[in-house]
Amino acid sequence: MDTVATTDFIHLYEPGSDTSRAPLLLLHGTGGDERDLLGLGQAVAPGASLLSPRGKVLEGAMPRFFRRLSEGVFDEDDLRGRTHELADFVEQARVRYGLAAPVAVGFSNGANIAASLLLLRPQVLAGAALLRAMSPFANPPQANLAGKRVLILSGAMDPIIPADDAQRLARTLSGNGATVDHRVLPAGHGLSQPDIGLLKGWLASA
Ligand code: MLT
């Protein structure tokens, strides 16, 4: 039997019962862990395989996927390195678990690294749902995102993410060829019931 070397991310893997569904890569927000989005994944994509890693950066006791200098100001060198590390993990997990390219479902910090994955390692993802995301890079790199579907769900009253920042992310991704559906909901930074319904419908329409 071949040995598969896996990059060391603590993670949960839940095999799905419906092979017609794309697997989901669940990426939690600051202070979350690999269990956080499992219930969401089960609710929005019943039967899909779920791969859920825990971010390796600690801010105090709070796991994250990359370092930030202050709220909304990212350490872009760390972000680039962590993005490649996460992409390598996903590629190895696909071999280990026999998975198709996943659709990322990321919340907040997890959405920001999912956006970075799209820009730096687009081949790793089939698409992405970015929940309360912002632009990960001041000067985003070019990427070929033709054929990638992206859903961005923003909160009109989000105190953490300025509205124009999420719009800039949507423009960056669509400018690189992604099919972007950006909705702004009457919500704050937390997820609301309409988020769940829109996400479920978008995943089902793939
Ligand atoms: C980030 O650091 O990724 C964003 O500020 C969102 C957050 O995690 O608070």
Side-chain angles (χ1 to χ4, degrees), residues 155-168:
M157 284 92 77
D158 190 331
I160 296 177
I161 299 171
D164 59 349
D165 209 307
Q167 281 158 12
R168 191 159 66 86

Side-chain angles (χ1 to χ4, degrees), residues 29-30 64 66 68 70-74 107-110 112 132 134 160-161 189:
T30 301
R64 290 174 49 84
F66 59 90
R68 62 180 164 183
S70 60
E71 192 169 282
V73 182
F74 301 152
F107 169 66
S108 190
N109 181 246
N112 296 337
R132 308 299 186 269
M134 56 195 290
I160 296 177
I161 299 171
H189 195 65

Side-chain angles (χ1 to χ4, degrees), residues 10-26:
I10 296 169
H11 68 279
L12 285 175
Y13 172 65
E14 188 174 283
S17 54
D18 182 350
T19 49
S20 68
R21 276 198 173 271
L24 300 188
L25 173 67
L26 302 172

